[in-house]
Amino acid sequence: MNRFWPPSVGNFWPRNPQRSPLIEVEDSIFLRVLVLALVILGIVATDIAAETSFSFWAFPLSGVGAIWSYYRRRDANVAVKFCIAIGMLVALGAFFGRLVGELNDTRLGLAELLIQLQVLHSFDTPRRKDLGYSIIIGLILLGVAGTLSQTLAFAPVLLLFLAIALPTLVLDYRSRLGLQPLKTQKEKSHQQNSSTLNFKFLILNFLLIVGLGLAIFAILPRFPGYQLRTFPVSSTIQVKGSFTGRSIINPGYVRQGKGNNQGSGSGGTGQNQTGQPGQVDNNFYYGFNSQINQNLRGEMKPKVVMRVRSQIEGFWRVLGFDRYTGKGWEISRNEDVTTIKRSPWSYQIFLYPSVLVGKTQEVVQTYTVVADLPNLIPAMAYPKEVYFPTPLIAVDQEDGLRSPVELSEGLTYTVISAVPYRDRTLLGKASTNYPKHIKKYYLQVPPEIAEKVRQQTEEILANYNKDGVTKFSKSLDSPYEKALYLAQYLKQHYSVPQNPLELPYLSEKEDLVEAFLFKQKGGYPDHFSTVLTVMLRSIGIPARLVAGFSAGEFNPFTGLYVVRNTDAYAMTEVYFPKYGWFAFDPIPNHPLIPPSVEDTQTFSVLRQLWQWVAGWLPSPVTGLLNNVFGTILSWVIKAIAWFLALFSQGWFGVLTGLILATIAAFLGWLGWGQWREWRNRRWLKKLPAMESLYQQMLQWTTQKGLGKHPAQTPLEYARVSYEHHAPATAEVIDEISQAYVSWRYGGHSPNLKRLRERWQGLKKAGKTDK
């Protein structure tokens, strides 16, 4: 079989002989002239629309390139192609230089770059495919001119472009069919030459296209900005009755008057009253309700509840709490909920935007519910658009999203969030002049414990450089640094009990925060977040508790985050004036800063893939591979940094870097070709003598434009060769094919000496012909 030189799909068809993509050239002068005219019209249109004259130099150079390329169309022109590549890189470098001063409008810079690339490309257009690239460039230039044009001066050029494009497309199609070019028909009369193009047909098509275009232009709606965005959403869900958004439907809680685990309410397992002890529901997270009781004990059975596709890893926020009750939390303004309707012809729901000073990044997340969840809509922080199947949703005062129905299995929705960047320097300089509504709701601490917790918190902050705790800054003079330090302090000085039932219940008069700090020296994971929130409030820093899901387990094969019910937990959000709410995670074995947007995430997927693989390897193997890959990566980063540093050393550095990159690519291409040739020779040497000779013959004929199709037998291929090769060449192909079949299937010993002589003579004759 022809292993290393696969033939073109169409090479064996009789109607298109000796036309391989490797050697195909375009001989039609008429087609080349029309293509050149299209390119020049595109350049002229750009100058007219922009009212400039910077492209006149391109007219003569494009003509010279087209003429030179025609006469050199059958040559390899490797040196010229190399010089063209260098020129294109120089043009690209110049474009980036202009881009710095033209950030407001890059269209002219892009058009100029495209013109420069086309002029260089005109010196290398031997094939019809290359001419097709030029046609596309002319069309793009015309489109750029259309966006720049503000007068009707562009219209005549557009009509002229269309008039030339129609015969160009006809000739291009003739070339694709393998028909003879027009110049070969000059042996006939001048009228016959003219009759090959039906000008009446072309004129009628021209008028039809212009009329249709004007009609579409007349009825096309005009918008100041238009963007089509389609995201995965389930089919529409009809909502019965009125939806106020005030109630939370959690399947893990009990409805009053009904059996266990039927809905929301009080009493029994998973009850929502914050005073009485009880057991958590083993399927549903206790914290998804308007009130949560942290005096519950027990653990959940892991099960998958969601699959999330997101641009970045994040915390899937569900709801927040503002009032601490002593043994849990509640939403004090649960009745103050805003409902937002969507239009009947779109799934898109616009939320009221938050006014933030800092930089944000748009993050698209698509959620697919796998198991029933409460009517609370998980989303990353600061959602601005929700694509949801119900006619309306609700937003509470803690920025939680609520649905009219439970999130049932199979439901899919999409959220677009404007997630703020976490700039430690800016947040450290944030003002402490908090608005009244922030101080009213997010500084509340039970008076029975307020002074005791404040003293303990200030004592911890005063000794921040002791006890082996990491020193975060020179001084803890900002709320951000204090929150960061306190979260780390709780991680290092308090612990989570190994046995979920080991922690005793709190008595009626006990406070959770007081017991955590002074008696138990620890608690359940969510207790850490409660304690951090109350400690920050005690020293005048607004904070609230927020519940949601961690990112879950990333599956690199599907690109989805697999989220389980056990991934639900609570952490602390701290308010910074003008910058909004930012989360801190004091739970041991959790990252101090939850995953969110970063300035650079170029290799985030690769990092997640490695973390997934490393989870299956023994620790010594993981450590060894980390060291090896780390060393290699450091070398690569240093080399890349050195190369990029060249571009900051002026034009000389830019040109040096571009030339080095081009040379490296050229040497890599040469090395790849030599490696393939070496591998091919090695493969041929391992074959039996007759098989090797037969494969060499197939590779040679493939290069000549007539490769053997896998469906053809050797004898069928030999018969076809008489139709497309000279008789002497076809005889040698036939003789080698006959000998190969006799040797392989008949067991006859071939006359290898004679076959090799015939083969060598055929190759010498082919070189002489060339």
Side-chain angles (χ1 to χ4, degrees):
M1 299 299 292
N2 190 0
R3 180 177 175 184
F4 293 100
W5 300 91
S8 175
V9 174
N11 282 340
F12 69 98
W13 294 105
R15 292 195 57 175
N16 194 20
Q18 298 182 352
R19 292 183 71 84
S20 168
L22 296 174
I23 62 173
E24 180 190 43
V25 298
E26 181 54 58
D27 294 316
S28 175
I29 297 178
F30 196 10
L31 176 59
R32 289 177 176 272
V33 171
L34 289 176
V35 171
L36 177 62
L38 288 178
V39 172
I40 292 178
L41 273 177
I43 297 173
V44 171
T46 305
D47 273 344
I48 292 176
E51 299 180 355
T52 60
S53 58
F54 65 82
S55 301
F56 283 120
W57 63 271
F59 303 158
L61 281 181
S62 295
V64 172
I67 295 172
W68 189 91
S69 182
Y70 173 76
Y71 285 103
R72 300 280 297 183
R73 65 189 185 280
R74 299 189 184 278
D75 298 322
N77 302 320
V78 175
V80 174
K81 292 179 180 178
F82 182 78
C83 294
I84 290 174
I86 293 291
M88 288 183 173
L89 288 175
V90 172
L92 185 62
F95 164 73
F96 284 128
R98 293 192 303 271
L99 194 63
V100 176
E102 299 175 358
L103 291 178
N104 58 324
D105 190 352
T106 61
R107 290 176 295 177
L108 273 179
L110 288 169
E112 188 172 354
L113 172 64
L114 200 59
I115 291 170
Q116 293 167 353
L117 297 180
Q118 167 56 32
V119 171
L120 292 170
H121 173 66
S122 65
F123 285 86
D124 183 32
T125 56
R127 302 171 296 177
R128 172 180 44 76
K129 183 169 65 174
D130 298 314
L131 295 174
Y133 296 155
S134 297
I135 295 174
I136 294 175
I137 290 176
L139 185 61
I140 294 174
L141 288 174
L142 194 74
V144 173
T147 63
L148 294 172
S149 178
Q150 297 180 356
T151 66
L152 287 177
F154 173 71
V157 181
L158 178 62
L159 294 176
L160 186 58
F161 187 95
L162 176 62
I164 298 177
L166 290 176
T168 304
L169 293 176
V170 172
L171 294 177
D172 181 75
Y173 190 64
R174 286 173 54 88
S175 179
R176 292 174 185 272
L177 295 177
L179 301 178
Q180 292 180 336
L182 297 180
K183 67 173 185 176
T184 62
Q185 300 186 9
K186 289 183 179 179
E187 301 173 359
K188 301 182 180 180
S189 65
H190 177 70
Q191 288 140 3
Q192 285 180 316
N193 185 38
S194 301
S195 64
T196 55
L197 282 177
N198 191 332
F199 287 101
K200 182 178 180 181
F201 176 79
L202 293 176
I203 292 172
L204 290 175
N205 273 274
F206 175 83
L207 295 176
L208 178 63
I209 293 172
V210 171
L212 184 61
L214 291 175
I216 295 175
F217 182 80
I219 64 175
L220 191 69
R222 278 99 171 149
F223 300 105
Y226 180 78
Q227 185 178 23
L228 179 64
R229 306 184 73 170
T230 303
F231 297 112
V233 183
S234 297
S235 57
T236 301
I237 299 175
Q238 299 299 330
V239 178
K240 297 180 180 180
S242 61
F243 170 64
T244 62
R246 298 172 182 173
S247 62
I248 297 177
I249 308 170
N250 190 332
Y253 291 98
V254 181
R255 289 181 186 151
Q256 295 186 14
K258 295 191 178 183
N260 287 343
N261 303 333
Q262 297 298 314
S264 63
S266 63
T269 301
Q271 43 76 34
N272 67 0
Q273 299 298 316
T274 60
Q276 301 300 322
Q279 295 293 321
V280 299
D281 187 275
N282 59 5
N283 287 316
F284 297 91
Y285 178 62
Y286 76 101
F288 295 154
N289 209 343
S290 58
Q291 295 178 327
I292 60 173
N293 178 10
Q294 293 187 309
N295 200 22
L296 302 177
R297 300 295 183 263
E299 60 181 348
M300 291 184 292
K301 296 180 181 179
K303 70 174 181 179
V304 177
V305 294
M306 290 191 309
R307 295 188 180 93
V308 184
R309 185 181 300 278
S310 175
Q311 293 172 301
I312 63 170
E313 182 180 3
F315 179 75
W316 321 128
R317 192 183 187 279
V318 176
L319 79 171
F321 301 91
D322 63 331
R323 186 174 182 272
Y324 175 62
T325 62
K327 292 183 177 65
W329 292 84
E330 67 180 11
I331 303 175
S332 65
R333 295 171 289 174
N334 191 56
E335 302 296 318
D336 190 2
V337 177
T338 303
T339 57
I340 303 176
K341 295 182 179 181
R342 62 172 171 85
S343 62
W345 56 82
S346 173
Y347 287 105
Q348 188 177 38
I349 301 175
F350 290 98
L351 305 182
Y352 301 111
S354 300
V355 181
L356 301 177
V357 175
K359 179 182 177 183
T360 62
Q361 177 177 325
E362 182 180 275
V363 180
V364 180
Q365 320 119 59
T366 297
Y367 299 81
T368 300
V369 179
V370 178
D372 291 346
L373 291 173
N375 65 320
L376 302 171
I377 305 174
M380 288 191 71
Y382 295 99
K384 64 176 185 176
E385 297 176 35
V386 179
Y387 295 77
F388 203 76
T390 58
L392 75 168
I393 62 173
V395 183
D396 62 29
Q397 293 299 313
E398 309 305 328
D399 303 318
L401 305 180
R402 303 182 183 184
S403 164
V405 295
E406 295 181 26
L407 306 188
S408 58
E409 181 180 355
L411 184 142
T412 299
Y413 66 94
T414 298
V415 179
I416 301 178
S417 300
V419 183
Y421 281 80
R422 195 184 189 107
D423 190 320
R424 181 174 178 177
T425 302
L426 291 178
L427 295 178
K429 297 178 181 179
S431 170
T432 56
N433 185 19
Y434 302 108
K436 291 183 179 180
H437 72 278
I438 294 293
K439 292 190 291 185
K440 179 179 179 180
Y441 293 103
Y442 303 109
L443 292 178
Q444 172 263 339
V445 179
E448 297 82 8
I449 65 169
E451 183 62 23
K452 193 174 183 180
V453 173
R454 183 188 63 80
Q455 291 180 359
Q456 178 70 9
T457 303
E458 290 180 346
E459 181 180 345
I460 292 173
L461 293 174
N463 298 323
Y464 74 97
N465 59 345
K466 298 179 181 179
D467 301 326
V469 179
T470 304
K471 188 175 181 180
F472 287 91
S473 64
K474 295 180 181 180
S475 61
L476 300 179
D477 56 355
S478 69
Y480 186 89
E481 296 299 332
K482 291 178 181 178
L484 202 64
Y485 175 78
L486 289 173
Q488 183 66 17
Y489 183 91
L490 292 176
K491 285 177 181 285
Q492 295 185 355
H493 288 77
Y494 297 87
S495 60
V496 177
Q498 295 181 354
N499 186 353
L501 300 177
E502 177 182 316
L503 197 67
Y505 288 102
L506 299 174
S507 66
E508 183 178 352
K509 295 183 179 181
E510 281 186 300
D511 184 275
L512 186 149
V513 174
E514 184 179 20
F516 182 100
L517 290 174
F518 305 108
K519 180 180 178 180
Q520 299 169 351
K521 295 297 181 180
Y524 288 134
D526 287 358
H527 295 177
F528 284 78
S529 301
T530 293
V531 172
L532 175 61
T533 305
V534 175
M535 290 177 73
L536 291 171
R537 289 183 171 190
S538 70
I539 57 174
I541 299 176
R544 66 184 178 187
L545 194 79
V546 59
F549 295 96
S550 66
E553 182 181 358
F554 179 74
N555 187 330
F557 300 104
T558 62
L560 298 175
Y561 293 93
V562 180
V563 183
R564 294 174 171 81
N565 56 348
T566 50
D567 292 322
Y569 68 97
M571 60 182 177
T572 302
E573 281 188 343
V574 180
Y575 180 77
F576 300 91
K578 297 183 180 181
Y579 297 102
W581 295 89
F582 288 86
F584 296 82
D585 192 341
I587 301 174
N589 300 320
H590 283 206
L592 183 61
I593 304 299
S596 185
V597 294
E598 299 174 1
D599 288 330
T600 57
Q601 295 190 7
T602 306
F603 303 105
S604 59
V605 176
L606 183 61
R607 173 175 54 83
Q608 292 165 342
L609 178 61
W610 166 243
Q611 290 176 350
W612 181 83
V613 173
W616 295 86
L617 299 176
S619 298
V621 176
T622 303
L624 176 62
L625 293 178
N626 280 329
N627 292 333
V628 173
F629 292 149
T631 303
I632 296 175
L633 185 60
S634 64
W635 291 345
V636 173
I637 292 175
K638 289 180 181 178
I640 294 175
W642 173 82
F643 175 75
L644 295 178
L646 294 175
F647 292 88
S648 63
Q649 300 177 7
W651 285 111
F652 179 77
V654 172
L655 293 177
T656 302
L658 293 174
I659 291 172
L660 289 176
T662 305
I663 292 175
F666 183 68
L667 293 177
W669 173 73
L670 290 178
W672 171 254
Q674 292 297 322
W675 179 80
R676 287 189 60 185
E677 186 177 348
W678 169 81
R679 188 182 175 191
N680 184 49
R681 289 198 302 266
R682 183 182 178 187
W683 174 66
L684 290 173
K685 288 181 180 179
K686 293 181 178 180
L687 298 176
M690 186 64 239
E691 176 78 16
S692 177
L693 181 60
Y694 177 70
Q695 292 295 339
Q696 292 179 56
M697 183 267 295
L698 291 181
Q699 293 175 7
W700 182 83
T701 56
T702 299
Q703 294 175 349
K704 293 299 181 182
L706 184 66
K708 176 185 173 298
H709 193 272
Q712 289 178 306
T713 66
L715 297 182
E716 288 175 341
Y717 178 68
R719 287 195 297 271
V720 171
S721 66
Y722 281 98
E723 302 177 10
H724 307 291
H725 290 289
T729 302
E731 288 178 2
V732 177
I733 295 174
D734 190 8
E735 186 174 352
I736 294 177
S737 299
Q738 293 282 358
Y740 172 74
V741 171
S742 299
W743 166 78
R744 184 175 180 86
Y745 303 104
H748 301 290
S749 298
N751 188 348
L752 289 174
K753 182 177 180 181
R754 170 180 167 75
L755 293 175
R756 287 196 180 105
E757 290 176 355
R758 297 292 304 275
W759 169 241
Q760 294 298 330
L762 177 61
K763 289 199 298 183
K764 290 180 181 179
K767 291 181 180 179
T768 304
D769 294 340
K770 184 177 179 180

